[in-house]
Amino acid sequence: MGKLFNAYVSSYKMDTKEWDEFLAVAGDIYNSPQLQKLGKFEHHLKINRLQHIRSVAFLSFLVSRKLGLNYKETARAATMHDLFYYDWHEDDLSHKLHGLRHPKFALNNAFYLCGTLTKREQDIIKRHMWPLTIIPPKYPESYVVTMMDKYCAAIESAYSMNKNFRKKLDDLLRLGE
């Protein structure tokens, strides 16, 4: 497996030097009660929203740091990219067009949580669903979060739908014991 996949696995273990470095810049958001509530919402089938956010934010932090980008703003905004409080799987008229609408909900909730956000942080949250949403990201950090969101969603979907992949990943994570 590659370095990016190994970093994905590390996002579950949360016991590395890199995880501690991530928490140094985004731990106030990640550990907030508002974010921790997201663990009760299914996101990608067997993966809850908090697990998804943790992986996306951690990988985005590592990649943006490696590329010499603003990894602090990237980590903070990625931690809030899916900050909404409903189960989008429910058959409810208010959840229609979820993929297009939830970035704005997350952005509004991020403002409530933090008070202020930089232009870069706002763009990261607003544009993370590109190319589904028409307007592309403005900053390289926004592209990083967009790509890591898709990467993590692909792994999480494979985990949820493929028993063999789930067993292999559970063995790596030691979650299946």
Side-chain angles (χ1 to χ4, degrees):
M1 300 274 171
K3 288 182 183 180
L4 194 59
F5 184 78
N6 290 337
Y8 178 86
V9 172
S10 292
S11 75
Y12 279 81
K13 294 182 178 181
M14 300 182 292
D15 64 354
T16 62
K17 176 183 73 128
E18 290 84 5
W19 178 254
D20 292 339
E21 292 166 353
F22 168 79
L23 288 178
V25 297
D28 59 323
I29 297 168
Y30 179 77
N31 291 317
S32 71
Q34 295 91 331
L35 202 84
Q36 292 299 308
K37 280 186 210 176
L38 299 177
K40 70 179 183 177
F41 293 103
E42 176 187 315
H43 198 61
H44 294 127
L45 302 171
K46 296 183 182 294
I47 305 297
N48 70 52
R49 191 163 317 130
L50 182 62
Q51 291 170 316
H52 170 74
I53 286 172
R54 179 176 59 232
S55 297
V56 171
F58 183 65
L59 293 183
S60 296
F61 165 76
L62 295 175
V63 169
S64 61
R65 190 170 67 173
K66 179 83 171 170
L67 294 174
L69 302 174
N70 189 322
Y71 63 89
K72 292 178 182 179
E73 289 184 27
T74 302
R76 294 179 69 76
T79 303
M80 298 181 283
H81 83 279
D82 278 339
L83 185 58
F84 57 91
Y85 300 101
Y86 61 87
D87 182 351
W88 62 274
H89 303 89
E90 291 176 352
D91 188 20
D92 185 311
L93 188 59
S94 68
H95 302 161
K96 298 296 180 204
L97 302 176
H98 163 78
L100 298 170
R101 297 176 64 208
H102 83 271
K104 184 166 174 86
F105 299 148
L107 182 60
N108 289 337
N109 289 330
F111 274 115
Y112 286 123
L113 179 60
C114 294
T116 61
L117 299 169
T118 68
K119 295 287 185 195
R120 181 179 285 110
E121 289 169 333
Q122 292 175 49
D123 191 70
I124 289 169
I125 296 167
K126 262 194 311 197
R127 306 289 179 228
H128 80 273
M129 286 303 290
W130 183 79
L132 179 62
T133 54
I134 300 169
I135 302 171
K138 182 176 181 179
Y139 301 96
E141 293 86 351
S142 304
Y143 282 100
V144 168
V145 174
T146 298
M147 295 304 120
M148 293 305 99
D149 185 43
K150 291 0 170 217
Y151 179 78
C152 291
I155 291 172
E156 292 158 6
S157 296
Y159 177 86
S160 296
M161 295 186 283
N162 184 304
K163 289 179 185 176
N164 292 331
F165 183 77
R166 184 167 47 252
K167 180 174 178 355
K168 287 178 185 177
L169 189 54
D170 280 348
D171 289 344
L172 283 173
L173 297 172
R174 294 193 176 118
L175 293 176
E177 298 175 350

